[in-house]
């Protein structure tokens, strides 16, 4: 019964890891409580997106990850 | 690049206009390498959606979007975008649209290795302004 | 097209951005062939001047301008323009500038063979408007 | 002692020929008098350029072609 949190881009450095397994289910308050304070602070920035099970959430505070879901924390992108 | 464009062009030989953009790693400010990471579950679906949107919006006959990941050194290609359309203006605008979105709305993150280590690159204000032109 | 761009690109591998435009004969309105003529004593000097102007104006690392003459059929290439620059916007604008000038300020005349014979093509008002953007 | 007049683009059809040898020297009035009236009428259109000896004239009425020069009559172009 777990959820995998994946840290992308600069969040990877802040977390000191690429991914982490945490107990399922996981909602927004659960996420903010389980990550490092520095990452929780970042998550409140509106430019940080959250994806769950391969879909970017329109409203990240509605996060509802269940067993087996992957939750990706997506900082501002820079491709091209 | 040559082969990709030659075959893309051959596939759309009835389209009057083909435009291609190739972006490479610049040897700016002493950068020794560039690393591109992505989030695989989102990357390809989002690129497909973006290509379909460009195709409909600019009446394209064809569209090609390539984006590399991994560690690249100065001079190496990062991104190749090509579009085919009946008219030049549509083909041009579509490449512009695709590049603006790949720069600040696709699931890639870039960091640069300088003498003092790795530095993440955030999109600049100008990149967001470019993106907003299409809204 | 593929080979030309591959070697152009290899020649300017330190430029961050390469843009290419290829224009082909469209199978529009039942056109069976397109004939392009030029005035040889002016054509190449004027194209060299145009390329040098684009190069200075848009800070290009490199510029390539090819224009065909003779009788061409639908699907065949007419014009290939490519530019290399440090930044995308310059490379894009330079191709745009070059194409606008090749369309209505270079020494080429175009006529089209339709079912009822040959018809000369004059630049459209839009072509002149495009050209005036650069003045 | 001659000047070659070269007809480009649609002027070629009007002239019924690609080029014509005429006596040198040739000035603007001489040119207007020696070409077909339909072409003379076209030459008065400001969009028609005239080149002499490989140079486009800024003011075509200043034409002064001498023996051996080529005079090109250049209608509006359409490349690309």
């Amino acid at each position: 019964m777990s959820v995998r949190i994946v840290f992308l881009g600069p969040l990877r450095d802040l977390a000191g890891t690429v991914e982490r397994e945490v107990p399922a289910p996981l909602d927004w308050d659960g996420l903010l409580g389980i990550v490092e304070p520095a990452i929780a602070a970042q998550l409140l920035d509106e430019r940080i997106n959250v994806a769950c099970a391969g879909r970017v959430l329109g409203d990240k505070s509605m996060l509802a990850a269940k067993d087996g879901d992957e939750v990706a924390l997506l900082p501002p992108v820079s491709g091209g | 690049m040559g082969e990709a464009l030659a075959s893309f062009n051959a596939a759309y030989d009835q389209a009057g206009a083909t435009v291609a953009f190739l972006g490479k790693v610049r040897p700016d400010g002493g950068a020794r390498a560039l690393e591109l990471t992505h989030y695989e579950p989102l990357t390809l679906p989002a690129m497909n959606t973006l290509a379909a949107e460009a195709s409909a919006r600019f009446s394209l006959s064809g569209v090609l979007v390539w984006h590399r990941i991994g560690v690249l050194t100065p001079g190496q290609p990062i991104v190749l975008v090509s579009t085919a359309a009946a008219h030049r203006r549509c083909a041009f605008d579509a490449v512009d649209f695709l590049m603006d979105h790949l720069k600040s709305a696709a699931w890639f993150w870039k960091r640069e290795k300088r003498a003092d280590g790795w530095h993440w690159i955030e999109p600049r204000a100008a990149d967001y302004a470019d993106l907003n032109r299409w809204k």
Side-chain angles (χ1 to χ4, degrees), chain A, chain B:
Chain A
M1 296 293 278
S2 71
V3 165
R4 179 189 297 135
I5 303 178
V6 182
F7 303 92
L8 277 304
L11 291 182
R12 187 166 288 188
D13 292 351
L14 266 188
T17 181
V18 171
E19 55 185 54
R20 234 181 102 184
E21 299 276 336
V22 302
L26 184 73
D27 64 9
W28 179 240
D29 288 333
L31 176 65
L32 291 178
I34 214 162
V35 295
E36 293 75 359
I39 291 188
Q42 291 270 321
L43 285 174
L44 298 173
D45 182 335
E46 61 172 17
R47 297 182 310 146
I48 307 278
N49 280 289
V50 174
C52 181
R55 288 189 56 246
V56 182
L57 304 177
D59 175 358
K60 60 194 172 188
S61 73
M62 300 301 284
L63 174 68
K66 53 188 193 326
D67 180 39
D69 282 350
E70 185 167 287
V71 172
L73 310 188
L74 310 157
V77 297
S78 58
Chain B
M1 179 210 192
E3 283 170 46
L5 289 181
S7 54
F8 179 76
N9 183 46
Y12 302 104
D13 67 333
Q14 302 301 300
T18 306
V19 171
F21 172 79
L22 180 72
K24 283 171 289 185
V25 183
R26 273 195 314 262
D28 277 12
R32 293 159 188 204
L34 194 67
E35 185 194 41
L36 280 141
T37 49
H38 72 140
Y39 181 54
E40 206 271 326
L42 297 180
T43 320
L44 194 57
M47 283 174 75
N48 281 332
T49 302
L50 179 62
E53 200 182 328
S55 194
R57 182 166 181 163
F58 302 99
S59 308
L60 302 180
S61 312
V63 54
L64 175 151
V65 182
W66 281 4
H67 199 295
R68 296 182 72 190
I69 50 168
V71 175
L72 308 172
T73 52
Q76 289 194 307
I78 306 170
V79 59
L80 175 63
V81 168
S82 188
T83 61
H87 298 280
R88 177 162 63 107
R89 187 55 45 210
C90 285
F92 258 116
D93 288 349
V95 171
D96 223 5
F97 171 93
L98 288 163
M99 282 307 305
D100 284 344
H101 284 78
L102 287 173
K103 267 206 128 44
S104 46
W107 301 107
F108 295 100
W109 293 269
K110 212 155 51 178
R111 59 175 191 161
E112 196 174 81
K113 189 179 196 168
R114 303 187 204 127
D116 60 346
W118 288 99
H119 298 265
W120 289 99
I121 299 173
E122 287 217 30
R124 303 163 304 149
D127 293 329
Y128 289 120
D130 284 346
L131 192 61
N132 280 324
R133 294 189 294 152
W134 308 104
K135 284 178 180 158

